[in-house]
Amino acid sequence: MKLTASLLLVLTAAMAYADDQPDWNDPVWAQVMATPPAASELSISEVTVSRADQLAEAEATANAALATGNWMQAEQQLNDALARYPDAHQLRLKLAALQYGRGAPAQAKALLQQGLELAPEQAGLRLTLARILANEHRHAAAWQVLKQAEPELAQHLDYYALMAEAGRRSGRCEDAMAVYHRLLAQQNSGPWWLGLGLCQRSLGQNFTHAFEQAQASVDLGVASLQFVNQQLEQHGTTQTH
């Protein structure tokens, strides 16, 4: 009896399971099986930070480090950014200024020269390098650096002013005078008139007009003005005797 009852239970369960099974020959079921499952609406997108954002973040981090007096960290941040983006000229200028400021001019000059190898037309790199050279009294070298590019004059008056000064101080007065004339055609400036007059005097030319223009300017320093007055007075005395 117990065996018979157990068999009945098994048979009943099997029949119930069979009733629940799909009809594999049903075309509806075949269509369902052939339809691919719907794509999940969950997608993972890669977040990329733009070049501008990365450079801005590097500069901000460097500035924050400088604010706390941590020059080493500031330089490291800028170095890392330049390693990724060698053409980030503004960061290169900032790093060169930091290096020069802490007494490492050789590093600053090498960094600027590397930038010029990548971008010879970059006036900012040339001007900064030339200023360092001029501060070292290497005026001929500064002239050569500046002479290798010709940025737009109206937008780079400082560039050409340093070029004229470097030319005058390195004995290239003919070339320097040409630059001074170009500068003065753009803007009246006492120091430029003085530079022009000094070149004219060095070449044995009449420098009084240039010195008089410098004397009448409002942007000439006290020491320079005293020098101009003295030279004009001496020249006038010489002319009258």
Side-chain angles (χ1 to χ4, degrees), residues 153-214:
L153 175 65
Q155 302 299 321
H156 297 88
L157 294 179
D158 288 348
Y159 186 99
Y160 286 96
L162 182 57
M163 180 190 294
E165 181 73 4
R168 182 183 70 80
R169 289 181 177 271
S170 60
R172 293 172 171 81
C173 268
E174 290 286 357
D175 295 325
M177 286 171 57
V179 179
Y180 278 127
H181 282 300
R182 292 179 62 192
L183 286 166
L184 289 166
Q186 290 285 326
Q187 178 180 310
N188 188 52
S189 168
W192 297 346
W193 279 115
L194 175 57
L196 176 61
L198 288 172
C199 276
Q200 291 171 335
R201 190 182 70 159
S202 176
L203 295 173
Q205 300 176 6
N206 188 348
F207 60 88
T208 55
H209 175 71
F211 272 30
E212 287 169 352
Q213 294 299 315

Side-chain angles (χ1 to χ4, degrees), residues 13-64:
M15 292 175 63
Y17 176 79
D19 291 340
D20 290 339
Q21 295 302 298
D23 183 359
W24 303 111
N25 295 320
D26 189 340
V28 175
W29 179 254
Q31 182 179 0
V32 170
M33 290 296 293
T35 303
S40 172
E41 294 183 358
L42 177 63
S43 63
I44 301 176
S45 59
E46 182 181 357
V47 178
T48 58
V49 182
S50 70
R51 165 199 164 96
D53 289 340
Q54 291 185 50
L55 295 179
E57 182 180 357
E59 185 170 11
T61 305
N63 289 337

Side-chain angles (χ1 to χ4, degrees), residues 43-118:
S43 63
I44 301 176
S45 59
E46 182 181 357
V47 178
T48 58
V49 182
S50 70
R51 165 199 164 96
D53 289 340
Q54 291 185 50
L55 295 179
E57 182 180 357
E59 185 170 11
T61 305
N63 289 337
L66 285 175
T68 61
N70 194 338
W71 283 47
M72 183 178 296
Q73 182 182 353
E75 288 190 26
Q76 186 61 52
Q77 287 292 331
L78 296 175
N79 266 316
D80 291 345
L82 281 175
R84 178 171 293 187
Y85 299 110
D87 61 339
H89 305 304
Q90 291 304 313
L91 293 191
R92 186 177 295 276
L93 286 171
K94 190 179 188 70
L95 179 55
L98 290 179
Q99 292 173 337
Y100 186 77
R102 67 171 172 81
Q107 281 185 269
K109 287 185 289 186
L111 184 70
L112 293 168
Q113 287 172 333
Q114 290 169 4
L116 287 174
E117 289 175 3
L118 296 171

Side-chain angles (χ1 to χ4, degrees), residues 7-21:
L7 289 173
L8 286 174
L9 288 173
V10 171
L11 289 172
T12 302
M15 292 175 63
Y17 176 79
D19 291 340
D20 290 339
Q21 295 302 298

